[in-house]
Amino acid sequence: MALTLVIGNKNYSSWSFRPWIALRVAGIPFEEVVIPLYEPGSKEQILKYSPAGKVPVLIDGDVRVWESLAIVDYLAERFPQARLWPGDAAARAHARAIAAEMHAGFAPLRRHCPMNMWRTVKARELTPEVAADVRRIEAIVTECRERFGQGGVQGGGQDGVQGGPFLFGAFGAADAMYAPVVARLSTYAIAVGAVAEAYKQAVMALPAWAEWRAAALKEPWIMANDEVDWPVVLRE
Ligand SMILES: N[C@@H](CCC(=O)N[C@@H](CS)C(=O)NCC(=O)O)C(=O)O
């Protein structure tokens, strides 16, 4: 039976983007159910799938998994051939730590720069707390790229290829957890150093990225107070 991923609308649902991109890049087939967020009745619809009242939710037969990080972890166990976590124990511990840090943290950046694929790219002044989040993310990306991303010790990623442009070489669970942050760096024109910038470009060059974004731009659910310049200019 195919997996089903219940997600929010693609323009806004950063948490949904994480397991969705993990599944897509790993080539794991799944069906999706999209529930538009912040609409009348949204909560009731979500509650049909999860008592937690939040998306994403993964349904695999009798198994239901909520919380983006738990979903990615479940996928890693269920599809070991996808190699969503690095093969090397030390690299894997590092990947899990940064994924958990993302799952639990960066509230100032989340609040100040919500994911919004429709928004016209333009800079927004960052508060000191948001700037500190950005610097921490930059440091995480730079350390991963320098220590693990070049291949060699860790053997991460879904296709077993050593090396690659992602945090641990090939795209994996940690990259999925950081994908919405890449979107925020882009949408809010946040300057980062060369290593983080190259990482951002690599994530945004994924066909799965383009697929998510194209679907987001076709969605009819745009919040009335959204910061969109019309007509929407498609970014490559
Ligand atoms: N910690 C959760 C966060 C999930 C979450 O906040 N989802 C938002 C959408 S991105 C949601 O369902 N909001 C709808 C609501 O709270 O009613 C995760 O990692 O999955």
Side-chain angles (χ1 to χ4, degrees), residues 113-131:
C113 302
M115 191 178 88
N116 182 342
M117 297 272 165
W118 284 69
R119 185 182 183 271
T120 306
V121 173
K122 60 179 175 232
R124 168 176 288 181
E125 200 175 331
L126 305 184
T127 64
E129 293 77 19
V130 178

Side-chain angles (χ1 to χ4, degrees), residues 138-160:
E138 205 175 353
I140 288 170
V141 171
T142 304
E143 185 185 10
C144 283
R145 290 292 307 141
E146 287 172 355
R147 281 182 63 192
F148 306 108
Q150 316 300 320
V153 294
Q154 55 83 38
Q158 102 286 355
D159 56 5

